[in-house]
Amino acid sequence: MSGHSKWHTIKHKKGALDAKRGKVFTRIIKELTVAARAGGGDPDTNPRLRTIVADAKSVNMPAENIKRAIQRGTGELPGVTYDEVTYEGYGPGGAAVIIEVLTDNRNRTVGELRHMLTKHNGNLGESNSVAWMFSKKGYVVVDKSAADEEKLLNAVLDAGGDDLRDDDDNWEVLSSPETFPQVLEAVKKLGIEPDAAEISMLPQNYLKLEGKQAQQMIRLMEALDEHDDVRHVWSNFDIEEKEIEASLA
């Protein structure tokens, strides 16, 4: 049971990304700048940049916006310097939370995240307070109706992927972070557009939340998703799909 994947795939299907396209653009521009600064401005020799350029194109970001963001990263254009920071903490019911941010002001961001967690019955923790509960993996979610299991499994394994997991209506494709770009490309070559694709922190075990704690957790996840500096949020909660859908309706 992967409550976290349900959260993201349900939000995706409800068109949350399209509804917040301006926010998505802002986040992707930051990521393009950071990736170009870290590994150079050529997507052919910078796999991380190549993945983010593909994300930018998938939400119809204009080519000029992509180019400018990369040039700010390489120093060809002036721009803001963003730091990549990971925070750890706990949500309602003791659910572990990992928050990855891109920020130009660490003090402001950590203060806002601490306030947000406290408001939703959680708290910010020390470094590695929860990270040990997760494994870093390439992670692709595919709707079962879009894929033939055998063809998908063969393509994933041939590309260096690790596993194909059954999660109710979805297939979860797992790989090492290093083989993730090839695995994602292999999935797309089958004519499949994934519901989610990222380098992810996957929980080793899940914590079941129900009732009030489940609703508080969903509100916390929505608040974190809304924060301009937050790039990714991972958690080990497991909440019934109908509870998530009811909250997002």
Side-chain angles (χ1 to χ4, degrees):
M1 293 285 287
S2 178
H4 185 63
S5 80
K6 285 193 182 73
W7 162 261
H8 278 283
T9 51
I10 290 168
K11 279 179 68 70
H12 181 93
K13 287 172 183 173
K14 286 184 176 294
L17 291 182
D18 284 338
K20 298 169 185 167
R21 178 158 289 164
K23 179 173 172 53
V24 174
F25 278 17
T26 301
R27 191 173 292 176
I28 289 176
I29 284 168
K30 284 185 183 180
E31 293 194 25
L32 288 166
T33 301
V34 169
R37 187 181 74 195
D42 183 357
D44 291 335
T45 57
N46 184 342
R48 178 180 174 186
L49 182 61
R50 185 163 64 246
T51 300
I52 300 164
V53 168
D55 289 344
K57 289 178 178 176
S58 74
V59 294
N60 300 315
M61 180 179 284
E64 189 59 33
N65 293 33
I66 297 172
K67 181 181 176 182
R68 281 201 303 270
I70 292 171
Q71 287 176 330
R72 281 196 290 271
T74 58
E76 294 169 76
L77 290 177
V80 177
T81 298
Y82 296 106
D83 292 325
E84 295 179 89
V85 193
T86 300
Y87 297 104
E88 301 174 39
Y90 296 91
V97 181
I98 297 178
I99 308 163
E100 189 178 277
V101 306
L102 290 174
T103 178
D104 60 354
N105 186 328
R106 290 185 184 219
N107 290 337
R108 184 201 68 232
T109 300
V110 72
E112 290 172 354
L113 293 181
R114 183 178 285 112
H115 173 74
M116 200 176 290
L117 284 160
T118 302
K119 180 181 175 182
H120 292 90
N121 203 27
N123 62 279
L124 205 58
E126 298 295 321
S127 179
N128 208 36
S129 56
V130 303
W132 59 273
M133 303 181 198
F134 295 76
S135 302
K136 193 171 189 177
K137 292 280 189 182
Y139 179 67
V140 181
V141 178
V142 173
D143 192 304
K144 281 187 178 177
S145 64
D148 175 87
E149 180 182 4
E150 190 173 347
K151 285 182 181 175
L152 180 61
L153 179 60
N154 288 337
V156 165
L157 295 179
D158 287 347
D162 295 337
D163 196 12
L164 186 66
R165 289 198 314 208
D166 187 333
D167 182 43
D168 295 339
D169 296 333
N170 304 310
W171 296 116
E172 295 183 331
V173 178
L174 303 183
S175 70
S176 69
E178 292 74 26
T179 60
F180 170 72
Q182 299 93 283
V183 171
L184 177 58
E185 194 173 323
V187 170
K188 289 187 172 183
K189 277 184 178 175
L190 294 175
I192 298 166
E193 188 56 44
D195 281 349
E198 63 183 26
I199 303 293
S200 189
M201 297 294 287
L202 298 183
Q204 295 164 16
N205 295 290
Y206 286 88
L207 180 67
K208 182 80 171 180
L209 295 181
E210 297 177 309
K212 183 179 179 182
Q213 288 181 339
Q215 296 306 310
Q216 287 178 326
M217 190 71 214
I218 291 166
R219 285 196 291 274
L220 172 60
M221 290 293 287
E222 284 204 288
L224 290 169
D225 276 352
E226 287 287 321
H227 194 287
D228 284 343
D229 294 341
V230 172
R231 184 178 176 220
H232 292 297
V233 186
W234 297 289
S235 180
N236 66 345
F237 69 79
D238 180 26
I239 298 174
E240 289 294 332
E241 191 167 323
K242 62 178 181 289
E243 284 206 66
I244 299 175
E245 288 190 320
S247 291
L248 297 177

